């Protein structure tokens, strides 16, 4: 099985930046479309960013122009650079495949204060 470990979250003021990391336990990024998800308290988990095996990226409208998804296939690592953070970005962030979801990691908490 594949295990994901997310890291890099923290507390930041509105307008600040964070860079999240996702480490997979084995090869996955070279053969699957990957994604970052987030879940705020009392809300459903939502898709925020996607990167294909060919490196094509897509973002939910709420984060376009502010977030950048990237990956390092050799290291089985994925990143989410988050700039111009807003309080509404506050959530637990997770990585996983875009389709045929694998087991969820613990996620990493991002809290944006106003």
């Amino acid at each position: 099985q594949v295990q994901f470990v997310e890291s890099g979250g923290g507390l930041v003021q509105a307008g600040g930046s964070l860079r999240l990391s996702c480490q997979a336990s084995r090869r996955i990024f070279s053969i699957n479309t990957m994604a970052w998800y987030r879940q705020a308290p009392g809300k459903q988990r939502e898709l925020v960013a996607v990167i294909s095996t060919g490196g094509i990226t897509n973002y939910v409208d709420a984060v376009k122009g502010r977030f950048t998804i990237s990956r390092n296939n050799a290291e089985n690592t994925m990143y989410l650079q988050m700039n111009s953070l807003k309080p509404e970005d506050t959530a637990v962030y997770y990585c996983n495949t875009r389709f045929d979801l694998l087991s969820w990691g613990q996620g990493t908490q991002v809290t944006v204060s106003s």
Side-chain angles (χ1 to χ4, degrees):
Q1 73 273 15
V2 176
Q3 294 177 317
F4 296 117
V5 178
E6 300 92 347
S7 62
L11 175 64
V12 65
Q13 292 185 330
S17 298
L18 286 172
R19 188 182 189 229
L20 307 184
S21 298
C22 169
Q23 181 68 56
S25 60
R26 64 180 178 89
R27 186 186 68 176
I28 187 67
F29 301 142
S30 64
I31 58 176
N32 284 101
T33 297
M34 300 298 300
W36 282 96
Y37 303 80
R38 67 186 181 187
Q39 186 170 29
K43 304 291 185 180
Q44 293 186 343
R45 203 191 315 262
E46 66 172 337
L47 179 70
V48 297
V50 176
I51 185 166
S52 75
T53 57
I56 304 300
T57 60
N58 279 292
Y59 305 89
V60 68
D61 286 345
V63 307
K64 284 182 178 178
R66 301 189 297 118
F67 290 10
T68 303
I69 187 173
S70 62
R71 67 168 193 257
N72 185 326
N73 290 346
E75 300 294 332
N76 292 318
T77 305
M78 186 169 65
Y79 304 97
L80 186 67
Q81 178 67 47
M82 307 185 296
N83 299 324
S84 302
L85 283 162
K86 304 175 180 179
E88 50 263 47
D89 295 319
T90 295
V92 178
Y93 285 71
Y94 303 87
C95 60
N96 212 318
T97 50
R98 172 63 180 86
F99 309 101
D100 299 321
L101 289 165
L102 303 175
S103 296
W104 295 103
Q106 294 299 305
T108 186
Q109 176 72 53
V110 172
T111 303
V112 184
S113 65
S114 59

